[in-house]
Amino acid sequence: MPSEQPEQLNLAQVQFLTVAEVAAMMRVSKMTVYRLVHGGELPAARVGRSFRVPKRAVEDYLRSAYFDAG
């Protein structure tokens, strides 16, 4: 049966980051990252009681949030 998704997600190639790593990468607090995850703005996988965020999702989020102030 063909997949419903246009792209097949290959989890072996996905680099996951912890909330602390995402916060450091974005230069925000961990609480801000949790808000983005819970608000659906940043996709994440739940692992036990913690979250893992695909690095590509963080890069995509930052790219879409970027604007030229000049």
Side-chain angles (χ1 to χ4, degrees), residues 44-63:
R46 184 165 214 134
V47 181
R49 295 183 62 201
S50 61
F51 290 98
R52 296 295 181 267
V53 180
K55 183 176 182 181
R56 177 74 185 261
V58 177
E59 294 166 348
D60 290 345
Y61 177 83
L62 290 172
R63 199 174 292 112

Side-chain angles (χ1 to χ4, degrees), residues 26-45:
M26 294 177 68
R27 305 256 199 279
V28 298
S29 71
K30 290 191 295 183
M31 186 54 67
T32 298
V33 177
Y34 283 117
R35 285 188 190 116
L36 291 170
V37 168
H38 288 291
E41 296 180 66
L42 198 57

Side-chain angles (χ1 to χ4, degrees), residues 1-8:
M1 185 169 181
S3 174
E4 296 286 328
Q5 297 176 342
E7 292 181 25
Q8 194 68 354

Side-chain angles (χ1 to χ4, degrees), residues 13-34:
Q13 295 177 346
V14 177
Q15 181 180 359
F16 288 98
L17 303 172
T18 65
V19 169
E21 290 170 330
V22 174
M25 185 177 183
M26 294 177 68
R27 305 256 199 279
V28 298
S29 71
K30 290 191 295 183
M31 186 54 67
T32 298
V33 177
Y34 283 117

